[in-house]
Amino acid sequence: QSALTQPASVSGSPGQSITISCTGTSSDVGGYNYVSWYQHHPGKAPKLMIYDVSNRPSGVSNRFSGSKSGNTASLTISGLQAEDEADYYCSSYTSSSTWVFGGGTKLTVL
Amino acid sequence: QLQLQESGPGLVKPSETLSLTCTVSGGSISSSSYFWVWIRQPPGKGLEWIGTNDYSGSTWYNPSLKSRVTISVDTSKNQFSLKLSSVTAADTAVYYCGRHRGGSSSFDPWGQGTLVTVSS
């Protein structure tokens, strides 16, 4: 199974909004509403930010939102804050009953 | 609050078997609503799903690792484990255990991760 495609890096200034894309195929992202997003600060446990495309777990800021169109899912962070600087990974269920992650995107807050 | 903690050797020799245990605290591993997952991250690379086990013993594995991996659950100890055989340097990674809520794409929470280095 091939990893989902994410941009290697994105950046934004405090207060701005950024969007991270996650592109797969009709056998994963496009075929199921089982896409999730994780925030990972190096040395710490990854944290679930969005599940099932657009659901936010309790305790996650409403500045984080998710969506999907066709084979591409997106994570949008609004009102960017310094603490948002981290690596972000998407994940999707696949038609083979497996899970696949994206290559990760490094978010830099300028 | 559910917590997971990985444990096991930090150094494994090539061709040997990597064995890790994840201890679950603050909740039961026997819940029918949840599955138990192992994920890894090689140095400088992204996350890779290794496999999943539900408490009844059903398993799903990454096709690229399927011939070498076993994930099992010990309900008496509230633990689940990972065994990866015939390891090579390519298996050097931080290994994470986590909980997967059935019927969703939610992997939450995760353990802190443990670095396993494959080297002679």
Side-chain angles (χ1 to χ4, degrees):
Chain A
Q1 55 190 27
S2 299
L4 306 175
T5 301
Q6 297 181 232
S9 63
V10 297
S11 63
S13 299
Q16 288 186 331
S17 294
I18 63 95
T19 296
I20 299 172
S21 61
C22 170
T23 301
T25 69
S26 57
S27 295
D28 38 62
V29 174
Y32 306 92
N33 287 324
Y34 287 147
V35 175
S36 51
W37 290 90
Y38 301 87
Q39 177 189 66
H40 189 204
H41 289 105
K44 293 193 172 183
K47 178 184 177 183
L48 176 68
M49 306 304 285
I50 296 288
Y51 68 96
D52 297 351
V53 176
S54 59
N55 292 295
R56 205 170 37 248
S58 173
V60 172
S61 171
N62 59 11
R63 297 186 298 106
F64 292 82
S65 62
S67 63
K68 189 184 83 167
S69 178
N71 296 337
T72 298
S74 298
L75 172 71
T76 297
I77 308 173
S78 60
L80 210 55
Q81 299 179 0
E83 67 208 48
D84 299 332
E85 185 162 296
D87 297 323
Y88 290 84
Y89 293 90
C90 61
S91 176
S92 174
Y93 183 67
T94 82
S95 58
S96 301
S97 301
T98 62
W99 296 87
V100 63
F101 283 91
T105 298
K106 181 177 180 59
L107 169 62
T108 300
V109 180
L110 303 170
Chain B
Q1 180 180 349
L2 193 83
Q3 292 186 317
L4 294 87
Q5 179 65 58
E6 306 87 352
S7 60
L11 181 64
V12 180
K13 290 182 168 54
S15 80
E16 295 189 345
T17 296
L18 178 160
S19 296
L20 295 175
T21 298
C22 182
T23 300
V24 179
S25 58
S28 173
I29 203 170
S30 301
S31 171
S32 59
S33 300
Y34 296 103
F35 301 164
W36 306 96
V37 62
W38 286 96
I39 292 162
R40 70 181 183 178
Q41 182 175 33
K45 295 187 178 181
L47 299 171
E48 179 181 35
W49 174 77
I50 298 172
T52 299
N53 187 319
D54 72 8
Y55 82 103
S56 69
S58 295
T59 54
W60 298 264
Y61 297 131
N62 187 319
S64 68
L65 301 170
K66 188 172 184 177
S67 63
R68 300 193 290 129
V69 67
T70 302
I71 297 175
S72 57
V73 173
D74 186 338
T75 56
S76 67
K77 295 181 179 179
N78 225 38
Q79 295 175 334
F80 62 106
S81 63
L82 167 70
K83 291 189 185 300
L84 183 65
S85 64
S86 304
V87 296
T88 69
D91 295 309
T92 294
V94 175
Y95 286 77
Y96 297 96
C97 61
R99 183 182 71 173
H100 170 209
R101 181 159 58 88
S104 85
S105 59
S106 165
F107 292 159
D108 178 61
W110 299 46
Q112 283 289 109
T114 186
L115 174 63
V116 178
T117 301
V118 178
S119 175
S120 56

